[in-house]
Structure formats: structure tokens, C-alpha cells
Amino acid sequence: MAILDVLTYPDPLLHRIAEPVKIIDSKIKKLVDDMAETMYAAPGIGLAATQVGELKRIMVIDITEDKSQLRVFINPEVIRKEGLAVHEEGCLSVPGFYDKVERAETVMVTALDREGQRFTINASGLLAVCIQHEIDHLDGHVFVEYLSPLKSNRIKNKLIKRQRELEREAELSQPRRRISAAARA
Ligand code: QAP
Ligand code: CO
């Protein structure tokens, strides 16, 4: 198992549409396992394959406190939505930012599990929010798109600035690799 790198908004890959999984082979199972490990390590309650740069319709969710109920959704489809509810959301790809988003209150979803078995669930509350948030990722959407342009631009600019700082720190921690030809001369 491995902890994967999570893409940060506004990475362009986060806006691509993921492809359905055709066959659940050992590579897909490894990706599912690595995604679960990555989500638990964060820690987070949901992660879509798009967030780790894999444009496949796979997401993992565990909303329990004790990490006891991993749910794997492969090729998920919403077959019914009802009501509206507002919930505070965050995202591993939007670290440090949280805001309220309105979504359906309950959703009926069908998907394949890690073994390829079809299951259908009726979700409400936090699970319903999380399922809709992760399916959005598979369709190339990030929750900040639902916020006002003022808020989403502010978040985007702060994350770009932070990414630049992180890249600069990474450079400084490996000075030897970066000595230029001019400096050696
Ligand atoms: C999606 O999000 C979600 O900013 C899953 O610094 C979130 O697991 C659905 C996280 C809320 C419904 C409600 C976020 C971790 C985790 C951060 C997550 C952070 C560290 C987000
Ligand atoms: Co997210």
C-alpha cells in the first residue's frame, strides 16, 4: 500500500471528466487500497481518484470516527435525489478552506464495490453530502465552484501562493541538486 500525492486546486486535472472502470483488475484494486490509505492518512472522509491524478470513476468514503466503515464506489450513479440541505464542506484538494454548500438532502446511488458487486444505497446526512461531493470530482468539479467568485478567487490565489512557497521550501531542502553550471564555474 502507498500514500498518494493529492492534487491541489486549481490543478487543471481536477477539472477533467473521469472514465468509467471497465474491469476491476489487480491494478484497480491497488488504486482503491492506496486511495483508502491516502484518505485515512490525511485524515479525510472521502477521496476521488481524480484527486490523485487517476481519471477513473472510483471514490472511497468513510464518515465514521474510528475508520471502521470504508465504502468503495466504482462507477457510481445517482438514481434519485430529494430535498435540499446546506452543509459545511472541505476538501483534501482545497486544504484549510471550508464553506457551506447546498446539495440534495438525500440521494439514492448505485455503484460497484471493490469486488465488482453492485450495491444501491439511500444516503442522507453527511454520507449524502460526501457522495455528491466525490461524484462532483469525477465530473471535474470542486466545491469552491459553488461559492461566490469573490470567495473562490480568494481561495484560488491563496492556494497558488502556498503551493509556490511549498515548492520553494522543497528547493531549499535539496540545495546540492540545484547548483547551477554558472555557480560551479
Ligand atoms: C469531502 O473532504 C467532504 O482542508 C471530503 O486541511 C467534506 O475529507 C464531504 C481535509 C466535508 C462532506 C463534508 C480538508 C483534511 C479533509 C482540509 C475531506 C484539511 C485536511 C477533507
Ligand atoms: Co474533495
Side-chain angles (χ1 to χ4, degrees):
M1 298 243 285
I3 293 173
L4 307 171
D5 284 335
V6 178
L7 301 177
T8 303
Y9 180 77
D11 192 300
L13 270 182
L14 290 172
H15 301 299
R16 298 260 303 270
I17 297 177
E19 292 283 337
V21 173
K22 291 204 186 91
I23 310 161
I24 302 173
D25 55 15
S26 59
K27 269 182 77 179
I28 294 292
K29 288 185 182 181
K30 179 173 187 340
L31 175 59
V32 167
D33 296 344
D34 289 347
M35 285 171 59
E37 192 180 2
T38 303
M39 172 181 74
Y40 286 134
I45 59 169
L47 184 72
T50 299
Q51 293 177 274
V52 294
E54 294 280 351
L55 296 172
K56 299 191 175 84
R57 302 192 76 83
I58 303 172
M59 55 202 222
V60 293
I61 293 178
D62 189 342
I63 59 164
T64 65
E65 293 271 337
D66 59 352
K67 309 179 173 185
S68 63
Q69 205 179 152
L70 178 67
R71 297 170 190 268
V72 176
F73 297 76
I74 298 174
N75 301 343
E77 283 172 53
V78 174
I79 49 184
R80 193 187 304 163
K81 290 190 183 205
E82 254 173 77
L84 285 174
V86 174
H87 202 285
E88 179 111 337
E89 296 186 18
C91 180
L92 285 172
S93 295
V94 191
F97 296 91
Y98 306 84
D99 215 324
K100 287 174 181 159
V101 176
E102 184 181 77
R103 298 186 187 272
E105 187 178 24
T106 65
V107 284
M108 191 184 278
V109 179
T110 183
L112 304 178
D113 67 16
R114 191 180 173 282
E115 310 313 317
Q117 282 278 357
R118 180 161 298 280
F119 67 98
T120 302
I121 54 163
N122 219 331
S124 62
L126 182 60
L127 181 59
V129 177
C130 206
I131 288 171
Q132 293 173 84
H133 175 115
E134 303 309 334
I135 290 178
D136 259 4
H137 277 302
L138 303 182
D139 292 328
H141 297 301
V142 178
F143 84 94
V144 297
E145 294 171 40
Y146 297 114
L147 309 179
S148 70
L150 180 75
K151 281 186 177 176
S152 64
N153 279 319
R154 196 174 280 165
I155 292 171
K156 190 185 287 181
N157 290 329
K158 284 185 181 169
L159 286 173
I160 288 170
K161 186 160 173 252
R162 194 186 296 163
Q163 279 300 113
R164 272 205 301 262
E165 285 163 2
L166 286 172
E167 277 156 29
R168 179 83 185 117
E169 270 170 43
E171 256 173 47
L172 288 172
S173 69
Q174 321 223 1
R176 283 172 189 286
R177 238 175 18 87
R178 301 210 135 248
I179 294 173
S180 67
R184 271 197 305 270

